Amino acid sequence: MSELFDFLLDPQTAVVFDIDGVLAVYEFGTHCHSACADADWETYVRTHDPYASTRPVPEIQRFVRAKGPKRVYACSVAADFEAQGKRDFVLANYGIAPDHICLVERKPQKMDFLQSVADNLALPRDHVALVEDTVKTLDAACEKGFATVHVTSFFGFNG
């Protein structure tokens, strides 16, 4: 196992996963990553639950099982109309505790959630790892002293 996964699996490390493009494969359209234009997303979600048909990532499922539930979290930006679908997807496919799922209105609020995890577990920031697909969000977390992992690091994880 790599040094990265030794660190992530350490019982003293908390791991926070983004949802879209990390826990949920981002394949909402046919031959296109999105099912519709951003302007039509709310209407689409209110008439089709995209999270009911998206797939989880087997490598991350294996990681979550290996890590155990105590220090695994999910945090994602979600509008009110998509929150329940995201939450249900995470619960059904990863077994992350309901109180470990945080849905925020804006990306900068993810930093507040990371800090609350650090505070609640009495961990230094560098023992709270954010797993993301958006480099700007990873950069922001890194600048604040959190550990950061791009989702592609999980490609090929066998546990």
Side-chain angles (χ1 to χ4, degrees), residues 59-77:
E59 293 87 350
I60 297 177
Q61 288 177 309
R62 284 192 292 276
F63 173 84
V64 171
R65 281 192 301 272
K67 175 80 174 161
K70 290 186 179 180
R71 295 203 177 201
V72 176
Y73 299 81
C75 182
S76 182
V77 174

Side-chain angles (χ1 to χ4, degrees), residues 1-2 4-5 9 57-63 150-159:
M1 194 162 333
S2 74
L4 173 63
F5 285 104
L9 289 167
V57 178
E59 293 87 350
I60 297 177
Q61 288 177 309
R62 284 192 292 276
F63 173 84
H150 192 273
V151 66
T152 56
S153 294
F154 283 83
F155 292 3
F157 177 78
N158 291 315

